[in-house]
Amino acid sequence: MGGSESKTQTETPSPEFDIPWRETLWDKKEVLEKNLREFELSDSNVKYVRILLAGEVGTGKSSFINSVNSAFQGRITTEALADSVSGTSFTKTYRTYYIRNGESVLPFVFNDIMGLESGASQGADPEDIAKSLEGLLKEEYNFNPTNSAKKEDCRSETSPEDLSYCLVYVIAADKVSQMNQDVFQKMKHIRQKASALEIPQAVIMTRVDEECPLVKKSLRKIYTSKKIKEKMQQCSISVGVPVSHIFPVKNYHEESDTQNDMDVLILRALMQIVQIADDLLNRRKTDSEKL
Ligand SMILES: Nc1nc2c(ncn2[C@@H]2O[C@H](COP(=O)(O)OP(=O)(O)O)[C@@H](O)[C@H]2O)c(=O)[nH]1
Ligand SMILES: [Mg+2]
């Protein structure tokens, strides 16, 4: 009914908000970095808080760990070995990534868990993810999609450093729409486990440059891009994490030097996650003092 005609006459809405909906201090990278380097955990008996990264293969988990390390070292590092051909290889071994800080290491560490692929024969067994939340998986454990960890793969006793203090879902902005029901089902299972353990949850939304041309051109458009906000809202609904706990980043993937704006988003996301993790550490400390 003349719909197409009237459509061509209406102005296409701008892809951009006039003002950013989240404030970002683009020129405060040094302060952010310093605050993270000097971060003191609320329990001085605990050396570090463990952050568990979970997500499908190819979402940028390894790239995020590398990007965090690169931001602190001031040069591109690839210790966590991101796969250049996505979708084919998995992180099969459970290992801890430390970030060097001069002679020492920073008070937060990462684990990258094998993909949350759909289908029973793919990805880590949700039981294994539950075990890693509880700090039970031994270092160098090899994930196997058809079996969960056996007794010999698990610790009989855990120290506070073995436990996870934040569960971070890594989701690619350009793949949110294609995420499969199976994956959400697995996430739901893990979320229930994390909630039972009172472990806070957050989302790192990667590949924002692939999703939005404005952002590809300038990362500073991250919070004025309507597309990115829409993706974050979509993530929030599907994963069940509030938008306030979703942090969009662009990971290092083809750059040869570190860049201020990429570092700012990465360090800001990290700061929020470390604070959330430390809140749990603080609660556990207070609870144990009450006993
Ligand atoms: N353009 C772009 N590519 C990314 C970003 N993060 C990761 N990648 C690429 O996405 C692919 C998968 O990343 P990877 O870290 O191996 O994912 P993992 O399987 O979750 O560990 C690699 O080709 C990365 O270079 C990003 O923020 N932007
Ligand atoms: Mg990986």
Side-chain angles (χ1 to χ4, degrees):
M1 293 194 280
S4 61
E5 215 176 279
S6 63
K7 218 177 219 165
T8 50
Q9 278 164 13
T10 43
E11 247 181 87
T12 40
S14 162
E16 234 184 302
F17 297 115
D18 294 335
I19 42 170
W21 58 277
R22 213 182 249 177
E23 196 189 1
T24 313
L25 303 169
W26 297 107
D27 54 358
K28 289 283 191 290
K29 188 199 113 177
E30 280 72 25
V31 180
L32 257 177
E33 190 186 323
K34 183 170 178 282
N35 290 345
L36 279 160
R37 283 191 194 276
E38 294 172 0
F39 195 90
E40 283 182 28
L41 297 179
S42 41
D43 186 343
S44 56
N45 295 316
V46 176
K47 289 199 281 291
Y48 44 78
V49 284
R50 186 174 296 276
I51 296 162
L52 187 65
L53 304 179
E56 285 181 271
V57 74
T59 53
K61 298 180 294 300
S62 305
S63 299
F64 181 70
I65 299 172
N66 287 332
S67 298
V68 167
N69 196 39
S70 300
F72 283 105
Q73 309 314 327
R75 62 187 170 84
I76 304 298
T77 64
T78 53
E79 200 204 347
L81 293 178
D83 306 314
S84 53
V85 187
S86 67
T88 51
S89 41
F90 299 93
T91 297
K92 291 199 177 88
T93 308
Y94 187 70
R95 65 161 286 209
T96 304
Y97 293 96
Y98 301 85
I99 312 285
R100 201 154 48 80
N101 183 23
E103 298 288 285
S104 172
V105 290
L106 288 169
F108 36 86
V109 300
F110 298 95
N111 278 96
D112 160 2
I113 208 153
M114 187 181 168
L116 285 175
E117 327 317 314
S118 55
S121 63
Q122 283 187 31
D125 188 300
E127 276 314 307
D128 278 359
I129 303 183
K131 285 196 177 91
S132 68
L133 286 171
E134 292 177 279
L136 288 169
L137 288 187
K138 281 186 187 163
E139 195 78 7
E140 304 289 322
Y141 165 66
N142 278 307
F143 289 104
N144 181 334
T146 51
N147 280 308
S148 61
K150 296 184 192 64
K151 199 156 174 246
E152 63 263 31
D153 301 316
C154 296
R155 293 176 212 278
S156 46
E157 262 175 66
T158 56
S159 73
E161 285 85 359
D162 296 327
L163 313 176
S164 293
Y165 291 85
C166 188
L167 169 62
V168 178
Y169 301 103
V170 180
I171 295 179
D174 59 329
K175 295 175 189 161
V176 179
S177 314
Q178 295 121 269
M179 280 172 74
N180 175 311
Q181 217 36 54
D182 256 20
V183 177
F184 290 129
Q185 214 43 49
K186 276 195 185 178
M187 279 188 174
K188 197 173 160 199
H189 182 97
I190 299 161
R191 201 161 69 229
Q192 282 164 348
K193 185 73 194 179
S195 301
L197 295 164
E198 292 180 60
I199 296 172
Q201 294 156 61
V203 171
I204 293 282
M205 200 173 87
T206 62
R207 297 174 58 99
V208 288
D209 52 316
E210 291 294 324
E211 177 59 24
C212 176
L214 281 174
V215 171
K216 191 174 191 131
K217 226 165 138 195
S218 164
L219 201 51
R220 295 200 180 192
K221 303 256 176 179
I222 191 88
Y223 293 119
T224 54
S225 158
K226 288 184 180 171
K227 208 167 194 175
I228 295 299
K229 187 170 190 191
E230 203 181 285
K231 288 290 147 187
M232 290 171 68
Q233 286 166 333
Q234 215 176 322
C235 263
S236 171
I237 294 163
S238 339
V239 184
V241 167
V243 172
S244 61
H245 280 38
I246 301 183
F247 310 110
V249 301
K250 179 181 168 192
N251 284 325
Y252 287 107
H253 60 110
E254 59 182 15
E255 297 73 13
S256 58
D257 297 294
T258 57
Q259 290 174 12
N260 180 80
D261 295 355
M262 288 173 75
D263 282 352
V264 166
L265 284 187
I266 289 161
L267 295 174
R268 183 86 194 109
L270 183 62
M271 183 51 118
Q272 307 261 15
I273 288 168
V274 169
Q275 277 165 341
I276 297 169
D278 187 60
D279 287 342
L280 174 61
L281 180 67
N282 193 29
R283 277 203 304 280
R284 284 192 181 151
K285 183 187 169 209
T286 317
D287 288 349
S288 70
E289 281 165 357
K290 278 191 214 136
L291 294 178

PDB file of all heavy atoms in Angstrom, residues 134-148:
ATOM      1  N   GLU A 134      34.592 -24.129  41.021  1.00  0.00           N
ATOM      2  CA  GLU A 134      34.885 -24.495  42.409  1.00  0.00           C
ATOM      3  C   GLU A 134      36.374 -24.672  42.679  1.00  0.00           C
ATOM      4  O   GLU A 134      36.764 -24.995  43.794  1.00  0.00           O
ATOM      5  CB  GLU A 134      34.185 -25.808  42.757  1.00  0.00           C
ATOM      6  CG  GLU A 134      32.686 -25.691  42.792  1.00  0.00           C
ATOM      7  CD  GLU A 134      32.037 -27.035  43.070  1.00  0.00           C
ATOM      8  OE1 GLU A 134      31.896 -27.840  42.129  1.00  0.00           O
ATOM      9  OE2 GLU A 134      31.678 -27.281  44.227  1.00  0.00           O
ATOM     10  N   GLY A 135      37.183 -24.504  41.627  1.00  0.00           N
ATOM     11  CA  GLY A 135      38.630 -24.610  41.809  1.00  0.00           C
ATOM     12  C   GLY A 135      39.129 -26.043  41.879  1.00  0.00           C
ATOM     13  O   GLY A 135      40.231 -26.309  42.355  1.00  0.00           O
ATOM     14  N   LEU A 136      38.314 -26.970  41.394  1.00  0.00           N
ATOM     15  CA  LEU A 136      38.677 -28.382  41.551  1.00  0.00           C
ATOM     16  C   LEU A 136      39.578 -28.929  40.450  1.00  0.00           C
ATOM     17  O   LEU A 136      40.285 -29.911  40.651  1.00  0.00           O
ATOM     18  CB  LEU A 136      37.399 -29.236  41.622  1.00  0.00           C
ATOM     19  CG  LEU A 136      36.612 -29.084  42.928  1.00  0.00           C
ATOM     20  CD1 LEU A 136      35.252 -29.741  42.805  1.00  0.00           C
ATOM     21  CD2 LEU A 136      37.398 -29.682  44.095  1.00  0.00           C
ATOM     22  N   LEU A 137      39.552 -28.292  39.256  1.00  0.00           N
ATOM     23  CA  LEU A 137      40.337 -28.859  38.146  1.00  0.00           C
ATOM     24  C   LEU A 137      41.828 -28.617  38.337  1.00  0.00           C
ATOM     25  O   LEU A 137      42.251 -27.510  38.644  1.00  0.00           O
ATOM     26  CB  LEU A 137      39.902 -28.230  36.817  1.00  0.00           C
ATOM     27  CG  LEU A 137      38.557 -28.625  36.248  1.00  0.00           C
ATOM     28  CD1 LEU A 137      38.400 -28.027  34.863  1.00  0.00           C
ATOM     29  CD2 LEU A 137      38.382 -30.140  36.192  1.00  0.00           C
ATOM     30  N   LYS A 138      42.591 -29.661  38.115  1.00  0.00           N
ATOM     31  CA  LYS A 138      44.046 -29.523  38.225  1.00  0.00           C
ATOM     32  C   LYS A 138      44.588 -28.822  36.989  1.00  0.00           C
ATOM     33  O   LYS A 138      44.043 -28.965  35.892  1.00  0.00           O
ATOM     34  CB  LYS A 138      44.694 -30.907  38.327  1.00  0.00           C
ATOM     35  CG  LYS A 138      44.600 -31.526  39.700  1.00  0.00           C
ATOM     36  CD  LYS A 138      45.400 -32.827  39.710  1.00  0.00           C
ATOM     37  CE  LYS A 138      45.218 -33.583  41.007  1.00  0.00           C
ATOM     38  NZ  LYS A 138      45.643 -34.987  40.864  1.00  0.00           N
ATOM     39  N   GLU A 139      45.678 -28.111  37.192  1.00  0.00           N
ATOM     40  CA  GLU A 139      46.393 -27.457  36.096  1.00  0.00           C
ATOM     41  C   GLU A 139      46.773 -28.531  35.071  1.00  0.00           C
ATOM     42  O   GLU A 139      47.096 -29.654  35.448  1.00  0.00           O
ATOM     43  CB  GLU A 139      47.629 -26.788  36.705  1.00  0.00           C
ATOM     44  CG  GLU A 139      48.308 -25.774  35.853  1.00  0.00           C
ATOM     45  CD  GLU A 139      47.610 -24.414  35.813  1.00  0.00           C
ATOM     46  OE1 GLU A 139      46.649 -24.187  36.545  1.00  0.00           O
ATOM     47  OE2 GLU A 139      48.058 -23.583  35.001  1.00  0.00           O
ATOM     48  N   GLU A 140      46.709 -28.177  33.791  1.00  0.00           N
ATOM     49  CA  GLU A 140      47.078 -29.092  32.689  1.00  0.00           C
ATOM     50  C   GLU A 140      46.023 -30.167  32.425  1.00  0.00           C
ATOM     51  O   GLU A 140      46.274 -31.081  31.655  1.00  0.00           O
ATOM     52  CB  GLU A 140      48.443 -29.785  32.923  1.00  0.00           C
ATOM     53  CG  GLU A 140      49.609 -28.834  33.148  1.00  0.00           C
ATOM     54  CD  GLU A 140      50.038 -28.071  31.903  1.00  0.00           C
ATOM     55  OE1 GLU A 140      50.026 -28.666  30.811  1.00  0.00           O
ATOM     56  OE2 GLU A 140      50.355 -26.873  32.026  1.00  0.00           O
ATOM     57  N   TYR A 141      44.873 -30.046  33.072  1.00  0.00           N
ATOM     58  CA  TYR A 141      43.800 -31.009  32.770  1.00  0.00           C
ATOM     59  C   TYR A 141      43.399 -30.844  31.306  1.00  0.00           C
ATOM     60  O   TYR A 141      43.312 -29.726  30.801  1.00  0.00           O
ATOM     61  CB  TYR A 141      42.598 -30.746  33.690  1.00  0.00           C
ATOM     62  CG  TYR A 141      41.331 -31.427  33.233  1.00  0.00           C
ATOM     63  CD1 TYR A 141      41.241 -32.813  33.230  1.00  0.00           C
ATOM     64  CD2 TYR A 141      40.237 -30.689  32.773  1.00  0.00           C
ATOM     65  CE1 TYR A 141      40.090 -33.450  32.780  1.00  0.00           C
ATOM     66  CE2 TYR A 141      39.082 -31.316  32.327  1.00  0.00           C
ATOM     67  CZ  TYR A 141      39.016 -32.692  32.328  1.00  0.00           C
ATOM     68  OH  TYR A 141      37.884 -33.307  31.870  1.00  0.00           O
ATOM     69  N   ASN A 142      43.194 -31.949  30.626  1.00  0.00           N
ATOM     70  CA  ASN A 142      42.784 -31.882  29.225  1.00  0.00           C
ATOM     71  C   ASN A 142      41.286 -32.085  29.091  1.00  0.00           C
ATOM     72  O   ASN A 142      40.757 -33.131  29.471  1.00  0.00           O
ATOM     73  CB  ASN A 142      43.524 -32.943  28.401  1.00  0.00           C
ATOM     74  CG  ASN A 142      44.898 -32.456  28.033  1.00  0.00           C
ATOM     75  OD1 ASN A 142      45.050 -31.365  27.477  1.00  0.00           O
ATOM     76  ND2 ASN A 142      45.901 -33.233  28.376  1.00  0.00           N
ATOM     77  N   PHE A 143      40.620 -31.080  28.531  1.00  0.00           N
ATOM     78  CA  PHE A 143      39.177 -31.205  28.333  1.00  0.00           C
ATOM     79  C   PHE A 143      38.871 -32.260  27.290  1.00  0.00           C
ATOM     80  O   PHE A 143      39.590 -32.398  26.305  1.00  0.00           O
ATOM     81  CB  PHE A 143      38.570 -29.875  27.885  1.00  0.00           C
ATOM     82  CG  PHE A 143      38.541 -28.870  28.969  1.00  0.00           C
ATOM     83  CD1 PHE A 143      39.455 -27.831  28.992  1.00  0.00           C
ATOM     84  CD2 PHE A 143      37.602 -28.970  29.974  1.00  0.00           C
ATOM     85  CE1 PHE A 143      39.433 -26.901  30.018  1.00  0.00           C
ATOM     86  CE2 PHE A 143      37.574 -28.039  31.006  1.00  0.00           C
ATOM     87  CZ  PHE A 143      38.490 -27.009  31.025  1.00  0.00           C
ATOM     88  N   ASN A 144      37.802 -32.947  27.524  1.00  0.00           N
ATOM     89  CA  ASN A 144      37.377 -33.975  26.597  1.00  0.00           C
ATOM     90  C   ASN A 144      35.863 -33.826  26.452  1.00  0.00           C
ATOM     91  O   ASN A 144      35.135 -33.895  27.444  1.00  0.00           O
ATOM     92  CB  ASN A 144      37.746 -35.324  27.228  1.00  0.00           C
ATOM     93  CG  ASN A 144      37.369 -36.477  26.350  1.00  0.00           C
ATOM     94  OD1 ASN A 144      36.461 -36.392  25.533  1.00  0.00           O
ATOM     95  ND2 ASN A 144      38.070 -37.572  26.541  1.00  0.00           N
ATOM     96  N   PRO A 145      35.387 -33.580  25.230  1.00  0.00           N
ATOM     97  CA  PRO A 145      33.954 -33.313  25.069  1.00  0.00           C
ATOM     98  C   PRO A 145      33.064 -34.485  25.466  1.00  0.00           C
ATOM     99  O   PRO A 145      31.894 -34.294  25.784  1.00  0.00           O
ATOM    100  CB  PRO A 145      33.802 -33.035  23.568  1.00  0.00           C
ATOM    101  CG  PRO A 145      35.168 -32.907  23.019  1.00  0.00           C
ATOM    102  CD  PRO A 145      36.115 -33.562  23.963  1.00  0.00           C
ATOM    103  N   THR A 146      33.604 -35.680  25.470  1.00  0.00           N
ATOM    104  CA  THR A 146      32.737 -36.820  25.750  1.00  0.00           C
ATOM    105  C   THR A 146      32.824 -37.316  27.195  1.00  0.00           C
ATOM    106  O   THR A 146      32.044 -38.174  27.604  1.00  0.00           O
ATOM    107  CB  THR A 146      33.036 -37.988  24.777  1.00  0.00           C
ATOM    108  OG1 THR A 146      34.449 -38.226  24.789  1.00  0.00           O
ATOM    109  CG2 THR A 146      32.595 -37.649  23.366  1.00  0.00           C
ATOM    110  N   ASN A 147      33.795 -36.794  27.941  1.00  0.00           N
ATOM    111  CA  ASN A 147      33.940 -37.221  29.337  1.00  0.00           C
ATOM    112  C   ASN A 147      34.177 -36.017  30.222  1.00  0.00           C
ATOM    113  O   ASN A 147      34.850 -35.087  29.810  1.00  0.00           O
ATOM    114  CB  ASN A 147      35.176 -38.110  29.494  1.00  0.00           C
ATOM    115  CG  ASN A 147      34.902 -39.524  29.041  1.00  0.00           C
ATOM    116  OD1 ASN A 147      33.931 -40.142  29.470  1.00  0.00           O
ATOM    117  ND2 ASN A 147      35.748 -40.017  28.167  1.00  0.00           N
ATOM    118  N   SER A 148      33.663 -36.080  31.432  1.00  0.00           N
ATOM    119  CA  SER A 148      34.014 -35.008  32.368  1.00  0.00           C
ATOM    120  C   SER A 148      35.194 -35.477  33.224  1.00  0.00           C
ATOM    121  O   SER A 148      35.579 -36.644  33.179  1.00  0.00           O
ATOM    122  CB  SER A 148      32.804 -34.612  33.208  1.00  0.00           C
ATOM    123  OG  SER A 148      32.362 -35.712  33.950  1.00  0.00           O
TER     124      SER A 148
END
